[in-house]
Amino acid sequence: MAEQVALVIAGIPGGLLLLLLLIGVSCCLWKRFGATFTYEELPGTGVPSSVQWDKLCPLGARTQTSRPPGMLFVVPPSLQSQDWMALSSRVWAQVPQDPRPAPELLPHATGSNLGDACVVGTINPELYKFPGDKSETNFPEGCLGWLWFSVEYQQEVERLLVGLIKAQRLQAPSESCSPLVKLHLLPDERRFLQSKTRRRTSSPQFDEHFIFQVSSKSVTQRVLRFLVYHVDRQRKHQLLGQVLFPLKEILERDGQCIIWRDLEAESLEPPSEFGDLQFCLSYSDCLNRLTVVVLRAKGLWLQEDASFVSVFVKVSLINHNKFVKCKKTSAVLGSADPVYNETFSFRADPTELDTASLRLTVLQSVEGDKSHELGRVMVGPYMYTRGKELEHWNEMLSKPKELVRRWHELCHTTEP
């Protein structure tokens, strides 16, 4: 028994040595066969000499995918125009060149093809650009800034939810801007809700929420107004701009809607005798379309019991003193400063613009189907108008496909 144990103990080192020997032989064979497989040449495909290479592939006829003999990779396009010299029968070296980088190694334009972009050792940054919000980069001249907000009306509980999201590019009177926003639900201008002040930023992020209690019967007649202020060191509020949003627009959308608007300067001029009307004009010569956007009115002289009357605007296209077509806005109840934001389009050929005109009439509903005229304004060519009305028409023609916005004084007349 003792002899068997001694034999087992003596055989263990021998077995380990034999195992190590087999592993070493296997590694040597693997490296040898692997190297032979990697560098084995196909029969009958020897590497041509430099003279044969020049004959087979002249310098002017070489394409971007051609490569010198003995190289295991395709020559990048940036190096194909450079010269190569032979060091031996199978070794080629590059002739020293200008150390400056070749134009092909620089970032490629978006329109370049895939073959030009796949250069060894380079990265095309155009492939990694994330398309951003163009509305935040294309800042038009004269713009006072932008305001983002969300609006949702819960009809079951008659509650209006307003989310103040952010503002961008506010034009503060000083270098540092500390904005805050006041929210009014017109026509009530006495009560308002206010956001927190954001310090030293012209692009504040608010992320605040407000709640208004609004009856479902009057929600279409209310207008949400945002007043953006700058708070200076003496804590005085300087108005930067305002945004008016009629609540009738949210009834046309389902659920919460996120909206952004341009800030508008508040008109500090007192209204004229019969009030003022603001609207936009635009003409597209490609579509032969004349567009009118009725924005709002202010300072209207309403009759008694103004809380029970409605005000609307009638837009008429006239050609050679003949009515071509008439369209009306929706009626706003009980407000001397109604807000509409409604768009109307008329078909008008370019040859008709010298004889056509637009008449905008502000009307107040009375008993039955009757209406009382509060004022009117006419814009058109030199044949019919002068002053600001003519300037507005000419500016529309000089800026095709662009909305031209202006205020106009209403005049009163007894003509039909």
Side-chain angles (χ1 to χ4, degrees):
M1 184 67 179
E3 295 178 355
Q4 295 179 355
V5 172
L7 291 174
V8 171
I9 294 174
I12 290 175
L16 293 176
L17 292 175
L18 181 60
L19 181 59
L20 293 175
L21 180 60
L22 292 176
I23 293 175
V25 172
S26 300
C27 292
C28 293
L29 293 176
W30 175 262
K31 292 181 179 180
R32 185 173 182 180
F33 285 118
T36 304
F37 178 79
T38 303
Y39 297 101
E40 182 179 0
E41 297 181 358
L42 296 176
T45 59
V47 179
S49 62
S50 60
V51 178
Q52 295 174 344
W53 174 260
D54 294 336
K55 291 181 179 180
L56 293 176
C57 186
L59 182 60
R62 296 177 189 176
T63 60
Q64 294 184 355
T65 58
S66 62
R67 59 186 176 90
M71 299 188 67
L72 303 179
F73 55 88
V74 177
V75 179
S78 61
L79 305 179
Q80 291 178 9
S81 61
Q82 302 178 7
D83 298 330
W84 295 79
M85 61 181 180
L87 297 180
S88 63
S89 60
R90 302 187 62 174
V91 180
W92 286 69
Q94 182 182 353
V95 177
Q97 299 287 343
D98 191 352
R100 293 176 297 178
E104 291 83 352
L105 294 178
L106 299 177
H108 292 266
T110 308
S112 60
N113 54 35
L114 185 59
D116 295 336
C118 299
V119 180
V120 178
T122 61
I123 296 177
N124 186 3
E126 298 293 336
L127 300 177
Y128 302 94
K129 284 188 176 181
F130 186 81
D133 188 359
K134 294 184 178 180
S135 63
E136 298 186 9
T137 57
N138 300 332
F139 192 76
E141 296 183 1
C143 183
L144 302 178
W146 297 304
L147 184 69
W148 277 260
F149 57 94
S150 63
V151 181
E152 180 182 2
Y153 182 69
Q154 299 177 349
Q155 194 167 3
E156 296 79 7
V157 293
E158 295 186 340
R159 188 167 56 182
L160 178 67
L161 306 180
V162 181
L164 185 61
I165 303 175
K166 65 178 181 178
Q168 288 283 342
R169 303 287 191 90
L170 298 179
Q171 305 299 307
S174 59
E175 295 182 357
S176 62
C177 182
S178 300
L180 67 82
V181 181
K182 293 183 180 180
L183 292 81
H184 298 259
L185 198 57
L186 302 180
D188 186 4
E189 297 188 6
R190 293 177 299 174
R191 292 177 290 183
F192 63 89
L193 300 178
Q194 180 176 316
S195 71
K196 297 180 180 179
T197 304
R198 299 296 187 267
R199 298 294 180 182
R200 298 179 180 178
T201 175
S202 60
S203 300
Q205 190 79 24
F206 292 100
D207 294 327
E208 299 185 36
H209 301 275
F210 307 91
I211 299 177
F212 293 91
Q213 204 69 30
V214 186
S215 171
S216 58
K217 297 181 179 179
S218 62
V219 64
T220 57
Q221 308 295 330
R222 310 297 291 271
V223 177
L224 187 62
R225 181 172 69 177
F226 300 86
L227 295 176
V228 183
Y229 292 92
H230 163 64
V231 183
D232 57 15
R233 296 181 180 180
Q234 288 77 26
R235 296 185 179 181
K236 294 182 180 180
H237 293 182
Q238 302 180 24
L239 183 62
L240 301 180
Q242 66 173 356
V243 172
L244 297 175
F245 180 75
L247 295 184
K248 60 184 178 182
E249 296 184 14
I250 65 174
L251 300 180
E252 303 173 357
R253 313 181 186 184
D254 296 332
Q256 185 184 32
C257 54
I258 298 178
I259 306 160
W260 72 273
R261 290 286 189 272
D262 291 337
L263 288 181
E264 300 178 0
E266 187 180 31
S267 178
L268 301 179
E269 298 180 359
S272 58
E273 182 181 359
F274 300 102
D276 300 274
L277 181 66
Q278 187 187 39
F279 57 91
C280 300
L281 294 179
S282 175
Y283 182 73
S284 175
D285 50 359
C286 299
L287 303 176
N288 296 339
R289 184 171 59 192
L290 179 62
T291 303
V292 183
V293 183
V294 182
L295 297 175
R296 59 181 180 267
K298 65 177 182 179
L300 301 179
W301 287 84
L302 303 180
Q303 294 182 348
E304 298 180 359
D305 300 332
S307 58
F308 301 98
V309 299
S310 56
V311 181
F312 63 94
V313 180
K314 183 173 70 173
V315 185
S316 306
L317 176 64
I318 305 174
N319 192 2
H320 289 292
N321 294 325
K322 294 182 179 180
F323 286 91
V324 179
K325 200 168 188 179
C326 296
K327 297 184 179 182
K328 299 179 181 180
T329 66
S330 57
V332 176
L333 184 64
S335 175
D337 304 313
V339 179
Y340 299 100
N341 283 344
E342 298 187 24
T343 305
F344 306 98
S345 297
F346 301 92
R347 181 175 178 81
D349 295 332
T351 56
E352 299 176 352
L353 297 180
D354 293 334
T355 58
S357 61
L358 286 170
R359 177 187 295 179
L360 292 89
T361 309
V362 182
L363 300 168
Q364 173 185 336
S365 300
V366 293
E367 297 179 359
D369 296 334
K370 298 181 180 180
S371 59
H372 170 69
E373 181 178 327
L374 300 178
R376 66 171 64 175
V377 60
M378 177 176 287
V379 292
Y382 185 81
M383 182 183 296
Y384 304 103
T385 60
R386 299 290 189 275
K388 295 182 179 179
E389 289 74 21
L390 177 60
E391 293 176 0
H392 196 178
W393 184 267
N394 291 335
E395 187 177 0
M396 173 197 70
L397 298 179
S398 63
K399 299 179 180 179
K401 302 179 183 178
E402 180 179 343
L403 288 174
V404 181
R405 176 173 51 192
R406 283 200 178 187
W407 280 99
H408 292 276
E409 297 181 3
L410 295 175
C411 62
H412 192 271
T413 178
T414 57
E415 297 178 1

